[in-house]
Amino acid sequence: MTKILTLKDALALNRRSLLKAGLGAAALGTLGAPYVVTSARAEQPLAGKKVGFSQSYATDEWLKAQRQDLLEQAKKHGFEVSVTDARENPAQEIRNLEDLAVRGVDAVIMITYYAEAVQPGVQALNDAGIPIVVMSSALAGDGDFAAHLAADTLGTSRTAGDYYLKALNGGGKVVQIEGKPGSLVNQARGKGWREVVEANSDLEIVAHGIANYSRTEALTLMQDFLQANKEIDAVYCHNDNMAKGALQAIEEAGRAREMWLTGYDAITTETFEMIAAERLRGSYLYPTFGAEAVEVAAAILQQKEVKKEIVFASPMVTKENLSQFFNGKDRIVPPVDMAALGL
């Protein structure tokens, strides 16, 4: 005999049970929801389609830009976007993904810094047959996805290593400041750079630490490094936020003329202004993938064939080429290159 679930029964079930029970999203309205961004119904064939957007956290400046780019592009299709923020809690990120599966969104666009930990949430989406567009770090394990948008981070970090080798004339003392250890992108930013630096006996990594992509943590870490090392020639930071924290420590110590820094992301006005003022040597552009992910999701929902892996360039932004990325006031956001997406 088929058991009929009452709403009271449903409230007692955990998310995995709800998924197995196949309970509809309409009956779950009282269980809580991510906030939903609706667009004026554009005269587009996909207007009203529901897209989930999942981030591990949203306080980082690059992630804020990603969200902005994604939501702006979603408006052009009239998508209803359910936005979730796990606030650096992998368990919450799993719950967010499971909620999106239960609610029956048409597609999910996600970025995670906890690829290993959130596999149950990805599995919930797979079980529900919801296509996933992944940005930046790849998924872990056997999680299925429709498309993955990323930069050649390992290749870029090797290029960064070559830059340090050349700029320091083959020798010098360098510092490395990492982001979140669980991030696959963070790992790649370190791996390629170290391959080059450690292969050269005249380049010495005198200090290395983790600042979790945090400006404040990088400030404190760099203060310690400055006290422990009387000679530092350059500082390799895994994102611009940490480069700014490290630079603050260096400038407050009166040692700015002794060393230079690079970062990653090249996304904010502050970063561009620091490059223009030569306070920051440069930053490796890391696309937000937000607008592009929306277009890939739109293609999937229209039953179009999309490339499984889509790789973007990650050039170094310096004072010499700054005008290509910054107009003196705002970031220059190029239109989505549909050909590059294979669409």
Side-chain angles (χ1 to χ4, degrees), residues 206-229:
V206 296
H208 163 257
I210 295 170
N212 294 301
Y213 292 133
S214 164
R215 189 172 188 156
T216 302
E217 290 185 41
L219 167 63
T220 302
L221 194 62
M222 194 66 208
Q223 287 172 335
D224 293 338
F225 291 163
L226 290 169
Q227 291 178 358
N229 296 275

Side-chain angles (χ1 to χ4, degrees), residues 317-333:
V317 180
T318 65
K319 186 177 181 179
E320 288 68 33
N321 65 3
L322 184 60
S323 61
Q324 299 175 34
F325 308 95
F326 181 57
N327 63 14
K329 182 180 179 182
D330 299 304
R331 170 174 64 114
I332 297 174
V333 182

Side-chain angles (χ1 to χ4, degrees), residues 12-48:
L13 291 171
N14 62 29
R15 287 170 174 79
R16 290 187 181 84
S17 297
L18 290 171
L19 290 167
K20 293 176 182 177
L23 193 61
L28 294 173
T30 59
L31 294 183
Y35 75 83
V36 179
V37 179
T38 58
S39 305
R41 290 296 178 89
E43 293 184 4
Q44 296 288 343
L46 299 176

